[in-house]
Amino acid sequence: MNDKGLVFDIKRDASEDGPGIRTTVFFKGCPLSCIWCQNPEGKKFLPEPDVYGNQIGTWYSTNELMYRLLQDKPFFTSTGGGVTLSGGEPTLQMDFAGRLLQALKREGIHTALETSGFFPYESFKAKMLPWLDLIYFDIKLIDAADSKQYCGQSNKHILENFSRLIKDASIPVIPRIPLIPGITTTEKNLKDIAAFLRKHGVKSCELMPYNPLWIDKLLKLGIAPDYKRNNYMTPAEQKACVDCFTH
């Protein structure tokens, strides 16, 4: 399957994954195991059934995927939109993702990436970075032990990749901080992330309020959640995070 990529969803008319009207391709497989994962069906790098017997994950060749994506090209052109690679973690399938990005750029389509930042940097720099126009880079936790506990991996590699990417990239690299109550929303975590970003000259980032809809997705896989907050953040909670981050 080296010439194909494993995808679990293709979301058309997406408006939150970059500029303009976009189509977002969700790659299956991720090296992290965040206990609040918004797309738990994207964790495993293999097709799998849900509890209803529906298969999650389809193998596509570059041509097969491009055939579907090019149907939306008029919307990309008229709105300044394009295609965003998300997941899961697209860089886990770096060869396929790189070929797809090159095919998109040959069509003049704007490309974006949503990444956890956990990838081999030199391979990413060679195989994907030259064909990207925008990167959203998750920074969840600043403490390595917390990252290991809640995401399954130390964040050392992630922070190093971010530091290198900020220096090397000629495109926007936008940090995104998911706000997970009681985990990433601690005063120390937010203040330390803010200090890390200031150190690297980053002027802005995106704070992503907690969304509990992932819990239903996990239950469809027959898995009980370890993290059980089932309601959205209140405006007061969101404001407290913003205040903590900016002061």
Side-chain angles (χ1 to χ4, degrees):
M1 289 292 184
N2 288 338
D3 59 335
K4 292 191 173 185
L6 186 59
V7 170
F8 70 87
D9 196 12
I10 300 171
K11 181 183 176 185
R12 305 176 73 184
D13 197 24
S15 59
E16 298 180 354
D17 300 326
I21 293 176
R22 309 189 71 79
T23 298
T24 302
V25 180
F26 292 87
F27 283 63
K28 204 166 183 328
C30 184
L32 303 185
S33 55
C34 304
I35 66 170
W36 65 84
C37 179
Q38 296 297 296
N39 294 317
E41 71 274 40
K43 282 186 174 183
K44 291 184 179 179
F45 183 48
L46 76 168
E48 58 183 323
D50 66 13
V51 294
Y52 304 109
N54 301 310
Q55 178 171 292
I56 304 169
T58 302
W59 291 99
Y60 288 94
S61 69
T62 305
N63 288 341
E64 289 169 337
L65 201 47
M66 284 296 295
Y67 174 79
R68 298 191 60 172
L69 296 175
L70 287 175
Q71 295 176 34
D72 295 333
K73 188 175 180 181
F75 300 104
F76 306 154
T77 302
S78 62
T79 67
V83 173
T84 300
L85 309 189
S86 188
E89 176 53 55
T91 64
L92 194 67
Q93 303 181 58
M94 199 172 294
D95 290 331
F96 178 78
R99 290 195 298 272
L100 179 62
L101 289 171
Q102 291 180 60
L104 290 166
K105 295 315 296 178
R106 284 196 292 270
E107 292 287 340
I109 295 173
H110 182 278
T111 58
L113 170 70
E114 295 177 339
T115 180
S116 69
F118 195 92
F119 51 73
Y121 186 81
E122 290 301 329
S123 293
F124 174 79
K125 185 178 177 182
K127 296 178 180 180
M128 292 183 67
L129 183 57
W131 295 280
L132 283 166
D133 298 306
L134 172 65
I135 297 173
Y136 293 110
F137 194 110
D138 274 9
I139 298 180
K140 302 175 177 75
L141 291 156
I142 205 74
D143 181 79
D146 287 345
S147 181
K148 179 74 173 177
Q149 177 181 353
Y150 293 114
C151 301
Q153 298 279 4
S154 166
N155 62 354
K156 181 175 183 291
H157 191 48
I158 295 169
L159 298 180
E160 287 175 350
N161 281 348
F162 182 82
S163 300
R164 296 180 70 180
L165 194 55
I166 285 293
K167 293 179 181 178
D168 290 345
S170 58
I171 60 172
V173 179
I174 300 175
R176 280 182 164 176
I177 296 88
L179 300 177
I180 313 301
I183 299 178
T184 70
T185 59
T186 66
E187 180 177 358
K188 177 171 174 50
N189 187 58
L190 292 176
K191 286 187 177 299
D192 286 354
I193 290 176
F196 173 80
L197 296 179
R198 282 195 298 271
K199 174 184 172 183
H200 289 83
V202 177
K203 303 296 185 185
S204 64
C205 67
E206 295 185 0
L207 300 179
M208 312 293 288
Y210 176 71
N211 183 333
L213 296 180
W214 66 275
I215 295 176
D216 286 340
K217 294 182 179 183
L218 195 65
L219 293 175
K220 286 181 180 178
L221 296 172
I223 302 171
D226 291 325
Y227 181 77
K228 297 182 180 180
R229 165 118 180 194
N230 58 9
N231 58 305
Y232 289 88
M233 297 179 73
T234 65
E237 286 177 311
Q238 294 184 43
K239 183 178 184 301
C241 290
V242 172
D243 289 346
C244 188
F245 201 83
T246 55
H247 293 90

